[in-house]
Amino acid sequence: MSCHHCDIWNNPYLSRLSLEEVKNLFSSDIIQESYKHHGDFFDVAISWWEPMLIENLEEVMDLVDSLVPGSIHSISTNGTLPKRLLQVLLHWKKQGKSLRKINISLDGNQINHDMQRWQSWSFQRSIKTIQKIKKVFPDQHIELKLTITKQNHKDIIYIGKLANKLGVFFSFKPVENMTNYTNQWWDIHSDFTNEEINEIEKQIVKNRYIEKQSFYINPNFFNAIPEYLRNWLGEAKKACQVAKNSVTIMPDGKTYWCILMKSVWSIKENSIDQVWEWEQIKKQRNEILSWECPECMLMCWSFKSKNMYA
């Protein structure tokens, strides 16, 4: 894929984390202590541009599971490599394991999705992948994930109905211009006009498909999107837990506390135990905790919590 709203596919990633580096990461004191503390809530999410392109993915998953058992909860994919995805799922099932959720990105109706991905076959391939997974693993939770852009902002209800028809969940969030992460090569237009925001709001209010999403995400996350797009968040920010509870590691080792902020170290060069007390690390984490950070509406620890918007 060559998505308009994300240029992560344009990054050559000349180096990759080795199995030894993965082992060192999950053997670190901080990760092990966190795993013991959070227990079943300790969550390893496998993402990247397209994780089905990782040739030794099963080996990586086996290694992670041996160090933090039961922690791999989800895989995010564009759903265009069904045979590879089923291969991974079958490998996992043979070991008596399962994923809590598979996230499959679908960016609007067929025309809008394919135009944003630069591939005319992408939409249908993703749909067939979902159908195959549901046939082989009928109890597997799947979530369609829509990134709202100017091109597909009228497709929220459509994706909700499609998810309902396929027997899967769905979620959506506004596109973000993440210049340190997924938009390193070019900026994107992430601002919406008042007319577009009103159209988004119209599709969210009293949308019965959204109410079904409470299994994973508090529905009020979605209800807050129109006001966020009107720049509401600057006056009513919610407590973000990323600095305390999350870390994002890219294939080349570049590591983030928050994906909207700059990466300040590489896991290839220093372990998480080594950098924990670095002044620049503490400074960035404190900026997040005190809200001296970029405004966002990402579905991570800021808004995904079931306790938000009570």
Side-chain angles (χ1 to χ4, degrees):
M1 303 296 101
S2 303
C3 305
H4 288 184
H5 58 283
C6 166
D7 62 29
I8 198 169
W9 53 269
N10 204 34
N11 195 319
Y13 288 114
L14 299 178
S15 62
R16 305 277 180 88
L17 287 178
S18 66
L19 287 174
E20 186 65 25
E21 288 165 333
V22 172
K23 181 180 178 180
N24 291 339
L25 168 64
F26 284 96
S27 300
S28 66
D29 290 341
I30 286 176
I31 295 296
Q32 286 294 317
E33 289 170 10
S34 179
Y35 175 67
K36 292 176 184 176
H37 174 76
H38 290 288
D40 193 45
F41 290 98
F42 187 89
D43 180 4
V44 176
I46 299 175
S47 185
W48 186 47
W49 167 31
E50 178 45 61
M52 294 305 109
L53 295 174
I54 303 172
E55 294 179 358
N56 66 335
L57 179 57
E58 293 94 333
E59 194 174 6
V60 174
M61 292 172 66
D62 288 344
L63 176 58
V64 172
D65 192 68
S66 70
L67 297 169
V68 282
S71 65
I72 299 178
H73 292 180
S74 66
I75 288 179
S76 295
T77 171
N78 61 31
T80 59
L81 295 171
K83 290 183 180 180
R84 181 72 181 110
L85 179 54
L86 284 170
Q87 186 179 22
V88 171
L89 294 177
L90 287 168
H91 171 83
W92 212 230
K93 186 175 179 60
K94 285 179 181 178
Q95 302 181 65
K97 303 166 188 173
S98 61
L99 294 171
R100 295 188 182 182
K101 187 158 63 85
I102 298 173
N103 299 315
I104 296 182
S105 54
L106 208 64
D107 290 320
N109 62 37
Q110 183 169 354
I111 294 175
N112 288 333
H113 174 89
D114 288 347
M115 285 182 66
Q116 290 191 150
R117 299 298 176 91
W118 285 86
Q119 297 291 353
S120 61
W121 46 263
S122 174
F123 182 89
Q124 287 298 332
R125 179 79 63 84
S126 297
I127 297 299
K128 289 179 180 178
T129 296
I130 294 168
Q131 293 170 334
K132 286 181 179 180
I133 294 172
K134 295 297 287 185
K135 184 176 181 179
V136 179
F137 303 100
D139 297 327
Q140 176 64 61
H141 288 300
I142 300 173
E143 182 178 308
L144 298 185
K145 300 184 80 70
L146 167 70
T147 298
I148 306 173
T149 64
K150 295 175 77 68
Q151 183 168 336
N152 66 20
H153 73 281
K154 294 182 179 181
D155 293 345
I156 296 172
I157 289 180
Y158 171 82
I159 294 296
K161 290 182 177 179
L162 179 61
N164 188 63
K165 181 179 179 181
L166 293 169
V168 302
F169 294 94
F170 88 111
S171 65
F172 52 92
K173 67 175 183 63
V175 65
E176 304 271 4
N177 192 25
M178 296 183 276
T179 56
N180 298 307
Y181 183 63
T182 54
N183 304 102
Q184 296 183 34
W185 298 84
W186 58 73
D187 290 347
I188 57 168
H189 297 293
S190 56
D191 294 331
F192 293 85
T193 65
N194 287 331
E195 183 180 355
E196 290 166 339
I197 295 172
N198 290 339
E199 176 64 35
I200 292 170
E201 186 171 45
K202 184 172 68 175
Q203 297 175 85
I204 294 174
V205 174
K206 296 182 180 179
N207 186 328
R208 64 189 180 91
Y209 298 107
I210 294 176
E211 295 172 1
K212 296 181 180 181
Q213 302 309 304
S214 59
F215 181 79
Y216 289 115
I217 304 169
N218 189 317
N220 285 323
F221 168 83
F222 307 109
N223 295 328
I225 288 175
E227 288 305 311
Y228 165 67
L229 295 176
R230 295 186 180 106
N231 202 29
W232 156 83
L233 191 58
E235 299 177 2
K237 288 183 174 180
K238 302 294 180 181
C240 178
Q241 298 298 310
V242 163
K244 293 182 179 180
N245 295 332
S246 182
V247 66
T248 297
I249 301 169
M250 300 303 287
D252 58 356
K254 190 178 290 185
T255 308
Y256 299 83
W257 293 119
C258 169
I259 56 179
L260 280 174
M261 302 174 75
K262 289 183 178 181
S263 170
V264 290
W265 102 93
S266 170
I267 207 75
K268 278 181 167 289
E269 298 169 359
N270 299 94
S271 72
I272 193 170
D273 291 335
Q274 291 173 324
V275 306
W276 192 257
E277 295 300 327
W278 281 8
E279 285 304 314
Q280 67 214 71
I281 297 295
K282 290 194 288 185
K283 179 177 182 295
Q284 191 176 71
R285 292 173 64 238
N286 286 334
E287 287 175 354
I288 297 170
L289 292 171
S290 61
W291 276 110
E292 299 173 17
C293 56
E295 293 184 357
C296 74
M297 199 164 188
L298 299 171
M299 281 187 289
C300 45
W301 284 97
S302 181
F303 285 93
K304 196 171 183 178
S305 170
K306 298 271 290 180
N307 297 321
M308 293 295 180
Y309 306 108

